[in-house]
Amino acid sequence: MRKLVVGNWKMHGGLDANAALLGALREAGGQGCPSAVCVPFPYLQQAKSLLEGSAIAWGAQDLSEHAVGAYTGEVSGAMLNDFGCRYAIVGHSERRALFGDTDERVAAKVDAALAVKLQPILCVGETLDEREGGVTEAVVERQLKAVFERGGAAALAACVIAYEPVWAIGTGKTATPAQAQAVHAFIRGRLAAWCGADVAARTTILYGGSVKPQNAAELFGQADIDGGLIGGASLVAGDFLAIVAAAAS
Ligand code: PEP
């Protein structure tokens, strides 16, 4: 099954608010579609205690490209494994724009995640300037190719891909279903060319960028959109659950 909905809490949360949110998700169950939440590092233990045994998986929003060593402030994939993570988001546009994650470092992080059997959620997407300059496909191809060139077809094939146009993240501006579908189809085409038709057919490609209960069903109705990476709306239990339900139907 290709469907998946993942919440990206970003730097939001607190013990009490998290307990209420995670409790509501747990109570609602899986809603017929695999789902997960990627929480800030300090709350991984809380996510593990409250979600273990439920239909909802959890993960981190980043990881170090290094396995161990003198890297103050970094968190390794093995540490994420200690907290039962299934996923690690890699290459989110906020990490790329604000924290120096180059294509090469993102590719190294994908390798670091795979080395400890975490599934990377590899984010790709263009800025508004890039879209208006007509280079959306070239940008997305470059971001994917960095992973392919470092880790080969196996690395790319092991990722969930999240297409997140930067201009749609947290802005309330969603790509139209047709705009998103066009890029998703392009990504699936690149996967077919580099990794083979089977991999392309089974890879989960999520859309992210101001997904809300109101627009989720139409986006997820597109042939190559397999679910969503959800920022703001994942902080409200009812909204996140409605989006998961939209992916299931
Ligand atoms: C995100 O942070 O990955 C995201 C898609 O955010 P939002 O849903 O708030 O646009």
Side-chain angles (χ1 to χ4, degrees):
M1 187 178 184
R2 291 196 324 213
K3 293 276 179 197
L4 178 66
V5 175
V6 179
N8 171 17
W9 288 9
K10 312 195 189 201
M11 199 174 71
H12 292 289
L15 289 173
D16 291 347
N18 302 345
L21 178 49
L22 293 168
L25 301 185
R26 186 187 173 104
E27 199 166 308
Q31 310 257 309
C33 173
S35 63
V37 287
C38 289
V39 307
F41 294 132
Y43 300 132
L44 285 170
Q45 177 59 44
Q46 189 185 24
K48 181 175 189 292
S49 343
L50 294 178
L51 294 178
E52 208 152 39
S54 80
I56 301 145
W58 60 96
Q61 299 169 16
D62 191 26
L63 82 165
S64 175
E65 68 267 43
H66 303 290
V68 67
Y71 300 107
T72 301
E74 291 290 274
V75 173
S76 73
M79 292 171 186
L80 300 184
N81 269 344
D82 280 343
F83 294 94
C85 289
R86 182 178 304 171
Y87 299 105
I89 297 174
V90 174
H92 190 281
S93 62
E94 288 152 14
R95 304 290 327 166
R96 291 180 189 264
L98 303 174
F99 301 101
D101 275 10
T102 59
D103 290 339
E104 291 67 33
R105 183 180 290 165
V106 170
K109 289 183 175 190
V110 166
D111 272 4
L114 294 176
V116 294
K117 301 200 168 9
L118 285 164
Q119 185 160 31
I121 300 175
L122 169 63
C123 298
V124 297
E126 81 288 1
T127 63
L128 188 56
D129 277 356
E130 288 164 343
R131 175 160 281 266
E132 289 175 351
V135 293
T136 296
E137 290 186 353
V139 168
V140 168
E141 174 159 4
R142 190 199 71 222
Q143 293 169 332
L144 293 170
K145 202 164 196 182
V147 173
F148 176 65
E149 282 178 345
R150 181 183 170 110
L156 209 48
C159 293
V160 168
I161 312 275
Y163 169 57
E164 299 207 307
V166 179
W167 48 272
I169 295 181
T171 59
K173 278 188 212 153
T174 317
T176 65
Q179 281 174 324
Q181 165 57 25
V183 181
H184 281 235
F186 172 76
I187 292 170
R188 214 178 289 286
R190 291 293 80 212
L191 291 173
W194 296 331
C195 308
D198 286 358
V199 168
R202 68 163 187 265
T203 298
T204 299
I205 308 178
L206 307 179
Y207 169 79
S210 299
V211 178
K212 307 275 179 250
Q214 298 79 353
N215 58 23
E218 205 186 349
L219 285 160
F220 301 164
Q222 305 300 306
D224 290 295
I225 301 183
D226 303 320
L229 181 54
I230 317 299
S234 72
L235 299 170
V236 180
D239 286 358
F240 186 66
L241 290 167
I243 293 169
V244 175
S249 62

